[in-house]
Amino acid sequence: MPLIVVTTSPRIAPGLLSHQAWQVLRSGPVLTGSGAHPQLPYLAEAGVEVEVVEPDPRALAVRAVTETVVWLAGSASEGDDEDFMRAVGHAAVALDEPPLIEVVPGSYDLPGARVLDLVAVMDRLRTECPWDRKQTHETLVPYLLEEAYEVLETIEAGDYPALREELGDLLLQVVFHARVAADFDMDDVAAGIVEKLVRRHPHVFGSVRAESADEVNDNWEAIKAAERASKGSESVLEGVPMGQPALALAAQLLRRAERAGAPESLSAGVGQGVARELFDLVRRAAAGGLDAEAELRAAARTYRDRVHAWESRG
């Protein structure tokens, strides 16, 4: 006789189970280890009786030797659940006639489901942690910038194993700001960027054809121009963040103006003294296909390494 384990995801609404899971749940006695299992009300409504028992790996394995038993998993934390099922497996193997153990996914996570966990954790932190509770958009700005720069540093260093953690730290800042906001939430943030991506990729989600990256970029810029016009702004510089590092800012302003056909003379003689020299260097770097910000950062890293080497010689 088999022991059939039905697994469920806490990130999927209770009651939304696979067809196979519903068939299994109606095939024999159903046991679970918690009276607080979120699926219980929905199973009761469907006429499926569930017996709540004390989780006992050996007793479960022994019972499955003589009858088909369905175990509704997912009643505890994922780690505890895995430990319990591992113990059931060990108990079954120790029997003279071990039962067949089959796992049936009742529901499972879709890509991105773990973001729901982050939203839930952030909700709790915002409610129960004094520090998280008192934060504002303004107080969080330094952390947002710091985490963004740490992502940049791992990429520049080629430290891709560390990139996952740093991206998580940056994602936390996005979720934090969405939780702090009074007039929108994380769903609104996600809905807004999904709408924008679909709108700006008509070659993927619509009937427009684009065979090269250059064509995609041209379409993107045309769509952005139409969006600016719909907002009452015709300036190609609309949306350039003036708070970004100065070299990157100058390069983006030059790039945007060039796309709009601004005369090159506008970039001549900008500023005075060192400012003029720096702006001209950014312009020359861009003309040569270089990123002035990245070039200077690379030079700074080289200088850092030289200082470290000098210190080690001590």
Side-chain angles (χ1 to χ4, degrees), residues 106-295:
S107 59
Y108 49 87
D109 293 342
L110 297 174
R114 291 288 181 165
V115 177
L116 298 176
D117 291 348
L118 178 56
V119 172
V121 168
M122 191 67 252
D123 283 344
R124 185 169 179 181
L125 291 176
R126 184 67 172 168
T127 302
E128 301 179 20
C129 175
W131 187 89
D132 290 276
R133 192 165 52 238
K134 77 173 188 177
Q135 299 309 308
T136 67
H137 292 303
E138 290 73 21
T139 62
L140 289 172
V141 165
Y143 305 105
L144 176 64
L145 294 175
E146 179 182 343
E147 300 301 350
Y149 280 123
E150 289 184 3
V151 169
L152 174 60
E153 184 173 353
T154 59
I155 293 174
E156 289 181 339
D159 190 1
Y160 296 118
L163 181 59
R164 182 181 69 173
E165 179 180 352
E166 298 302 340
L167 287 173
D169 292 341
L170 183 58
L171 179 59
L172 168 61
Q173 297 305 310
V174 174
V175 175
F176 207 152
H177 278 278
R179 182 62 178 81
V180 168
D183 54 350
F184 62 85
D185 58 19
M186 192 62 196
D187 284 329
D188 296 317
V189 172
I193 189 60
V194 167
E195 180 183 349
K196 181 184 291 186
L197 289 172
V198 170
R199 185 174 64 250
R200 292 186 180 178
H201 289 80
H203 56 287
V204 175
F205 302 101
S207 57
V208 173
R209 293 183 62 84
E211 303 296 339
S212 68
D214 288 339
E215 289 181 282
V216 171
N217 190 63
D218 290 342
N219 286 340
W220 181 281
E221 293 300 329
I223 294 169
K224 286 177 64 176
E227 291 172 354
R228 289 193 296 269
S230 69
K231 295 177 182 178
S233 174
E234 296 289 345
S235 175
V236 71
L237 301 182
E238 181 71 23
V240 174
M242 299 300 291
Q244 63 182 301
L247 292 180
L249 171 61
Q252 187 174 7
L253 291 171
L254 286 164
R255 187 165 56 250
R256 288 278 193 97
E258 181 182 357
R259 287 175 184 165
E264 189 175 344
S265 59
L266 294 180
S267 63
V270 173
Q272 297 180 349
V274 173
R276 176 180 295 187
E277 294 176 24
L278 288 172
F279 197 89
D280 187 56
L281 281 173
V282 172
R283 182 182 60 79
R284 286 160 50 194
L290 299 175
D291 181 338
E293 179 77 20
E295 293 297 314

Side-chain angles (χ1 to χ4, degrees), residues 35-46:
H37 197 295
Q39 298 289 347
L40 293 184
Y42 300 90
L43 296 179
E45 185 178 352

